[in-house]
């Protein structure tokens, strides 16, 4: 918000320079973004009076004027402005004056006529950005010969404050003056606002159908206004210094009161109203042409101001073009209302509109302010445009107005938070200066928030208020004392950082995707998954919490493939969300995806595509980091997102811990992927578990190795054979390795040959052949009986 320093000092004027005042406002939590002069530098410009005017003899569009600048001489000036007239008070640049941009005024001869100075327009003095249509005409009260800068108060500054959303009470001169007054222990001396007496009994009926969204609505009929009247220069200047352009006196007054008090107002042309002003929800299909010329379609969630014919305005946001004040307006209906912040915020965003009114209403306007603002606007309108006011009609639902918060502030909690004990009287004084009604109790204070402070609700709010008014820079600086102990290093756990390093070392890149995904993507990969749906998503394709890391990784794959990156190796860690909100499980997971060639492109590398066992090898390298690889098992299973024949469930100590497999062809087709992709996902809590390494003495005695080739059913998992082998191989088996799987000539159809290398070693002696042969016979017998395996001859 922009405001004039001089205007603020009319309300409250602390003994501070401009920079010090801006710094004080910033330190109070209202950050000042900029402090700029209200006008460019110029000199030797005075107030003058046009005492004569004659047409230029040799130029149709020029006039030769006689100007009294207070020096005792009447000066000839050639002027081309169409609005110059005898008797006007005008800004006059004397010979030698320097105007904005370094332009110096000199004596001149214009088509044979002497000109000793220049009558200035607003743009020539830097008071308007666009070229003015004519000279600037000053009010009759301007004293001839007086300094123009002094008369206009141009040695002023515009201060721009960047307010946080919770401080809507400072979106006005009144609100800012309250803050400055509190900080400097001064009184606020704003304009005296008295009720305006009605000069007739006519009123326009008002009906509020939605009291929850509009708890208070006031309206007044003012007849016989002169819309063609000129807005006073002082008001035009204050509006300009606040960043608002003057339009016409009615609009200027409503804007002025909004800046001054913080209450948005709207004026309707009474000739375009019919029947009753109704505050209601729009009906489906209704349309409205706004003041900016935009035509919008309303829905049944939009609060509108309407009459018997239809909508006139979007409540608290923008008026309609049809009912607005225009050059033909003679009677107006002045609106002043309180609208619910949530209602205004919702509809302003729904239509992509952001206006000065909506900016204030959605942050919260004082519900006690509409009557005061209506009286102030009425008085200004009568002063500028004339007219006859009627009675002020009010419709209020007290049960729907915001209740004032009663907040307990404990002295002990205040001291703990500030690190400083403040005198009881000082705290009470601060709270009272802020407008609260304070009552002392045994524990501290109970404060009732003022109607304009929507942000005061809990004890911490009052602590913040006391701290900032007392002064943040007056609070002590204390370093917290704590007895710090070394964090234990859990040797049996694998840090997440090491898992990440391992994936990077194997050629993967870490991805970070949204925890929100598109519902159709989740349905494609996990049709039966249940996860929370966001009530207010960022966008429609980010509206569901992910139940797996697979959707995000697949979306990242699509993104890369669309940019000609055909070899993709990604991994991600993050939470997945399963279940409804009242029974939600959040599980940390690590997932990975591979696609494309096995090796990077190069003269020595082949062009083979990555396959299931490449990804399984990468996963097994992670499983081995815990030192407990034998706690993990892979078993064939089915997953809706994975290929039925290339899918395995991962078990950790018998419990499901993850999945690995190739993306299902049907899913791949639905997503438009033309290449195979392989994925895995594993629970981080299981992946980081392990066991503390323990040293085993090396045996000095020789190993004994036996190679066994079994003929088994082609569908038998090798793991079943290994499990049987380990049960019968005894305590001295130190290694078992699968080194060959064969199907073809010499192997019966439906069978496969599995060759295993078994190694035994005793820690204290040499094993003999009889011992080994007994173990081998037990393995062969057990495998034949339970798995139908035969030794291959």
């Amino acid at each position: 918000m922009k405001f004039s320093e001089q205007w603020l000092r009319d309300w409250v004027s602390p003994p501070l320079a401009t920079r010090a005042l801006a710094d004080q406002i910033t330190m109070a939590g209202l950050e000042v973004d900029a402090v700029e002069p209200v006008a460019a530098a110029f000199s030797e410009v005075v107030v003058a009076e046009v005492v004569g005017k004659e047409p230029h003899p040799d130029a149709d569009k020029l006039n030769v004027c006689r100007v009294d600048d207070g020096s005792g001489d009447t000066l000839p000036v050639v002027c081309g402005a169409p609005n110059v007239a005898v008797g006007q008070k005008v800004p006059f640049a004397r010979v030698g004056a320097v105007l904005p941009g370094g332009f110096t005024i000199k004596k001149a001869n214009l088509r044979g006529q002497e000109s000793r100075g220049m009558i200035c327009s607003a743009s020539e003095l830097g008071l308007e950005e666009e070229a003015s249509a004519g000279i600037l005409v000053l009010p009759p009260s301007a004293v001839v010969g007086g300094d123009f800068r002094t008369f206009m108060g141009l040695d002023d500054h515009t201060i721009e404050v960047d307010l946080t959303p919770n401080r809507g009470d400072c979106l006005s001169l009144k609100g800012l003056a309250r803050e400055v007054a509190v900080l400097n222990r001064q009184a606020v001396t704003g304009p005296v606002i008295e009720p305006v007496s009605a000069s007739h009994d006519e009123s326009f009926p008002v009906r509020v159908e939605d009291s929850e969204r509009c708890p208070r609505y006031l309206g007044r009929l003012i007849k016989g206004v002169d819309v063609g009247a000129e807005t006073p220069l002082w008001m035009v200047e204050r509006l300009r210094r606040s960043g608002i352009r003057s339009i016409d006196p009615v609009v200027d007054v409503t804007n002025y009161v909004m800046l001054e008090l913080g209450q948005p107002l709207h004026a309707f042309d009474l000739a375009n109203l019919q029947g009753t002003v109704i505050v209601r929800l729009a009906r489906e299909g209704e349309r409205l042409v706004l003041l900016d010329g935009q035509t919008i379609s309303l829905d049944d969630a939009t609060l509108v101001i309407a009459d018997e014919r239809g909508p006139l305005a979007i409540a608290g946001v923008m008026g309609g073009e049809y009912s607005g004040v225009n050059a033909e307006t003679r009677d107006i209906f002045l609106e002043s209302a309180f609208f619910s912040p949530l209602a205004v915020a919702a509809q302003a965003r729904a239509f992509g509109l952001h206006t000065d009114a909506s900016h204030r209403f959605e942050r919260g306007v004082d519900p006690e302010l509409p009557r005061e603002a209506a009286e102030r606007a009425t008085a200004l309108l009568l002063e500028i445009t004339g007219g006859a006011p009627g009675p002020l009609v009010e419709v209020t639902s007290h049960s729907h107005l915001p209740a004032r918060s009663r907040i307990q502030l404990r002295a002990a909690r205040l001291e703990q938070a500030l690190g400083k004990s403040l005198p009881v009287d000082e705290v009470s004084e601060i709270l009272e200066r802020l407008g609260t009604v304070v009552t002392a109790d045994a524990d501290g204070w109970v404060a009732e928030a003022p109607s304009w402070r929507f942000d005061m609700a809990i004890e911490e709010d009052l602590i913040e208020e006391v701290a900032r008014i007392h002064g943040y820079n007056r609070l002590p600086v204390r370093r917290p004392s704590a007895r710090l102990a070394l964090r234990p290093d859990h040797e049996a756990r694998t840090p997440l950082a090491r898992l990440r390093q391992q994936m990077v070392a194997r050629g993967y890149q870490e991805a970070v995707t949204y925890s929100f995904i598109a519902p159709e993507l989740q349905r494609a990969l996990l049709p039966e998954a249940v996860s929370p749906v966001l009530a207010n998503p960022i966008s429609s394709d980010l509206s569901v919490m992910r139940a797996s890391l697979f959707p995000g990784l697949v979306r990242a794959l699509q993104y890369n493939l669309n940019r000609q990156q055909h070899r993709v190796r990604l991994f991600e860690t993050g939470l997945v969300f399963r279940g409804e909100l009242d029974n939600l499980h959040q599980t940390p997971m690590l997932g990975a995806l591979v696609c494309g060639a096995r090796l990077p492109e190069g003269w020595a590398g082949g062009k083979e595509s990555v396959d299931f066992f490449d990804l399984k090898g990468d996963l097994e390298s992670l499983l081995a980091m815990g030192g407990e690889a034998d706690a993990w098992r892979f078993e064939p299973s089915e997953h809706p997102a994975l290929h039925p024949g290339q899918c395995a469930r991962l078990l950790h100590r018998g419990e499901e811990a993850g999945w690995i497999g190739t993306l299902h062809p049907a899913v791949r087709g639905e997503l438009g992927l033309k290449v195979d992709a392989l994925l895995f996902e594993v629970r981080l809590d299981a992946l980081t578990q392990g066991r503390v390494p323990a040293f085993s003495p090396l045996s000095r005695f020789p190993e004994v190795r036996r190679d066994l080739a079994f003929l088994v059913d082609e569908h038998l998992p090798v793991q079943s054979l290994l499990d049987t082998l380990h049960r019968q191989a005894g305590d001295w088996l130190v290694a078992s390795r699968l080194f060959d799987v064969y199907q073809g000539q010499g192997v019966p159809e439906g069978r496969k040959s599995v060759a295993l290398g078994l190694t035994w070693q005793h820690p204290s002696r040499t094993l003999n052949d009889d011992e080994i042969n007994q173990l081998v016979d037990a393995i062969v017998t057990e495998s034949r009986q339970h798995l139908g395996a035969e030794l291959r001859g």
Side-chain angles (χ1 to χ4, degrees), residues 302-330:
T302 305
L303 186 70
V304 297
I305 311 300
D307 64 4
E308 301 295 351
R309 287 179 295 191
L312 304 170
I314 301 178
V317 181
M318 187 180 290
E321 184 179 55
Y322 173 74
S323 60
V325 174
N326 56 64
E328 306 301 321
T329 300
R330 291 295 173 265

Side-chain angles (χ1 to χ4, degrees), residues 1-4 36 158-161 173 241-243 259:
M1 174 183 168
K2 290 183 177 181
F3 66 93
S4 159
E36 298 175 345
T158 292
I159 301 177
E160 184 173 359
V161 179
L173 257 294
R241 297 177 197 189
S242 301
L259 292 173

Side-chain angles (χ1 to χ4, degrees), residues 77 86 88 133 137 299 430 506 547 556 653 690:
V77 177
V86 174
Q88 290 175 336
V137 180
D299 56 37
I430 288 174
R506 297 185 74 88
R653 296 175 182 169

Side-chain angles (χ1 to χ4, degrees), residues 389-405:
L392 193 58
V393 177
E394 179 176 353
V395 178
T396 298
S397 173
H398 293 281
S399 62
H400 291 101
L401 287 172
R404 299 189 186 186
S405 302

Side-chain angles (χ1 to χ4, degrees), residues 46 51 53 72 80 101 159 171 178 181 190 252 256 258 293 303 352 398 419 425 489 582 668 725 755 763 766 773:
V46 298
V51 296
K53 170 188 169 184
I159 301 177
L171 285 168
R178 276 194 303 251
D252 290 347
Y256 181 83
M258 179 184 68
L303 186 70
H398 293 281
D425 292 343
D489 186 7
D582 55 354
R668 197 184 72 189
L725 180 152
T766 301
N773 290 338

